[in-house]
Amino acid sequence: MPPTIASLLADRPLGLRLLTAEGLAGDTAREIRWVHTTELNDPAPFLEGGELLLTTGLRLDDPGFDLEAFLSGLVRAGVAGLGFGVGLNNATVPERFVAAAEDHGLPVLEVPKATPFIAIAKSVSKSLAAEEYRAITEGYRTQQELVKSALAAEPQRSLVRSLVRGLGPDAWAVLSAADGTVLHSAGPTPRSVDLAPELARLRGRSLPSSSSILTDSGHVEVHALGAGKRVMGFLAVGLLGRTTGPDITGRQILAVALTLLTLGVEQPTKDGTVAELTLRRTVVRLLLGGHVEAAREAAGELRVPLPAEPVRIARDSVREDAAPDRMFVLEEEAERVLIASADFEGFTGGVSDAVGYADFGRAYRQAGEALATVRRTGRSPVYFAEAGSGLTALFGDLAVRDFAAGVLRPLADGDRSALLPTLRAWLAHNGQWDAAAAELGVHRHTVRARIARAGELLGKDLTASDSADARMELWLALRVREGQ
């Protein structure tokens, strides 16, 4: 469980005591996301919400200190509570401070002089680390369960149930056909939620597409399932009593489930051969989405383990049986995807650089560019480094590299490490917020904020209808940067 005010009170060596006990101010179930120490008159601008704020009340008697403004700011910032250290600037916690905090619904903890603030921070940090480990472990177990569900007698029903179990007791999910007919559902689905308008809206969009809405029952998001331009079904997921979507772990679980369900609606059959082919496709889709451990699990179900890193990815236009030491997938357009050890000597088609699985997406694109050279020249195999086709022919030009560096410099300077990968994902998905967010494992609002910030730094509105040239320049610059 995440750390709460109650769990800190139960940590006897800390010796904390709750002074407020009226209404919200007596709520000890509040989750604590961090601990912060301050003696500022207005610390609110420096907070993100969920903090336990520790103070010794150094400024309480200053003529310019406004207690009402101080507490109002903390409420707006969303702090979890206040810890007041006694025995330093104040022998006890002033009654006026406790009374004002109660009026604002903020719990106040008395921190004895013998308890250093760092001890409280360590306790919370330890609990947060344990919670993060638990979330990662449970997330991995759920991904394993999802992969196994894809091979069950009723894979779609099993996948929906496994997804809801993985997202928690307040989660629900509904899998619908393209016309909105409910195929399977799980969890406490609220009757008041009308999904028809969202389904109608998504039918008119290109894939992948999704939408999020806030209902009386909580957060709901709907994802269209299908291949190419054809919507073949929908998955609706809701979290009762929540105003936001799943956390990072939940988002990863949902991404794996969407991959498996998408493949399921593409080829809804129990035929063993097709089921194996679907699972092989799943391995590649999961790797492209960055879900390496889930991909390993899917490969394990096939009893064809992924080769040890580093590996090369080869894309070929010829169908043939795979050798035992290779992992393969036959794609829709008679294309084969091979994953093999970097020193494998039997590649055909377009071959990527040697990479780790974390760079699978980049290698997959490299193999595609090399395959274009194979189709144009007729020689095979062609390695990406020697392809010299498409954009890659420009990468060695010094003027082009200088151009790319200049275009991207405003986004590469300082602490802006998240802007370039976000911009790359957003452009790669043709400006689709939800698809980019799913690839990055963040909320779509985070992607919007980062793209807006990138536009500010570049002096361009990247979402404007007349910004095609700017987006094209940025895409070229990013590709040149990747190819160097």
Side-chain angles (χ1 to χ4, degrees), residues 1-323:
M1 293 292 292
T4 62
I5 291 176
S7 66
L8 282 181
L9 290 170
D11 191 345
R12 293 184 178 276
L14 295 178
L16 306 181
R17 186 164 65 97
L18 180 67
L19 300 182
T20 49
E22 294 183 10
L24 291 174
D27 180 13
T28 61
R30 297 188 182 192
E31 293 184 7
I32 300 172
R33 300 175 188 169
W34 201 244
V35 175
H36 185 65
T37 301
T38 186
E39 299 297 346
L40 296 175
N41 286 354
D42 182 19
F46 308 100
L47 304 174
E48 295 182 346
E51 295 90 355
L52 175 67
L53 197 65
L54 303 178
T55 182
T56 64
L58 180 64
R59 305 291 184 187
L60 271 180
D61 295 325
D62 287 359
F65 181 76
D66 186 336
L67 181 58
E68 178 67 23
F70 174 79
L71 295 172
S72 296
L74 298 184
V75 171
R76 288 193 299 272
V79 300
L82 291 161
F84 199 107
V86 298
L88 297 171
N89 298 308
N90 294 271
T92 61
V93 183
E95 291 184 5
R96 65 187 180 92
F97 184 88
V98 176
E102 283 184 342
D103 291 341
H104 285 80
L106 286 173
V108 175
L109 304 179
E110 180 187 78
V111 183
K113 184 179 180 180
T115 300
F117 284 175
I118 190 66
I120 300 174
K122 284 182 177 181
S123 176
V124 169
S125 180
K126 182 179 179 181
S127 296
L128 288 172
E131 174 62 15
E132 182 178 0
Y133 177 77
R134 181 201 62 78
I136 291 174
T137 302
E138 290 188 1
Y140 176 56
R141 277 202 299 265
T142 299
Q143 291 182 27
Q144 290 179 309
E145 183 181 342
L146 287 169
V147 171
K148 288 181 170 62
S149 296
L151 299 176
E154 296 183 88
Q156 292 182 344
R157 180 190 298 274
S158 183
L159 278 167
V160 171
R161 290 179 175 177
S162 295
L163 170 63
V164 168
R165 283 195 296 270
L167 293 179
D170 297 326
W172 57 269
V174 174
L175 180 66
S176 306
D179 62 0
T181 302
V182 175
L183 301 176
H184 305 288
S185 65
T189 307
R191 296 181 179 180
S192 60
V193 176
D194 181 12
L195 298 175
E198 294 304 308
L199 302 190
R201 187 177 298 114
L202 292 177
R203 285 192 190 98
R205 294 184 185 177
S206 59
L207 292 169
S209 60
S210 63
S211 64
S212 298
I213 55 176
L214 187 60
T215 69
D216 292 339
S217 65
H219 175 89
V220 178
E221 54 188 71
V222 184
H223 299 264
L225 306 174
K229 297 181 179 180
R230 183 184 176 190
V231 174
M232 304 180 71
F234 300 93
L235 176 69
V237 177
L239 297 174
L240 299 178
R242 291 270 297 275
T243 58
T244 59
D247 57 17
I248 293 178
T249 301
R251 185 64 57 189
Q252 292 173 341
I253 291 171
L254 179 58
V256 172
L258 286 170
T259 298
L260 295 167
L261 286 168
T262 296
L263 289 165
V265 297
E266 288 178 20
Q267 191 61 264
T269 177
K270 295 180 182 179
D271 179 79
T273 303
V274 175
E276 179 177 325
L277 174 59
T278 298
L279 195 55
R280 289 179 181 272
R281 286 176 177 163
T282 299
V283 173
V284 171
R285 300 279 182 94
L286 291 172
L287 288 171
L288 286 171
H291 309 294
V292 178
E293 293 306 319
R296 291 187 192 278
E297 182 68 23
E301 291 296 327
L302 287 166
R303 294 180 174 81
V304 185
L306 292 176
E309 302 171 296
V311 297
R312 294 184 191 272
I313 290 85
R315 293 170 66 178
D316 200 334
S317 58
V318 180
R319 289 178 183 260
E320 63 180 51
D321 292 337

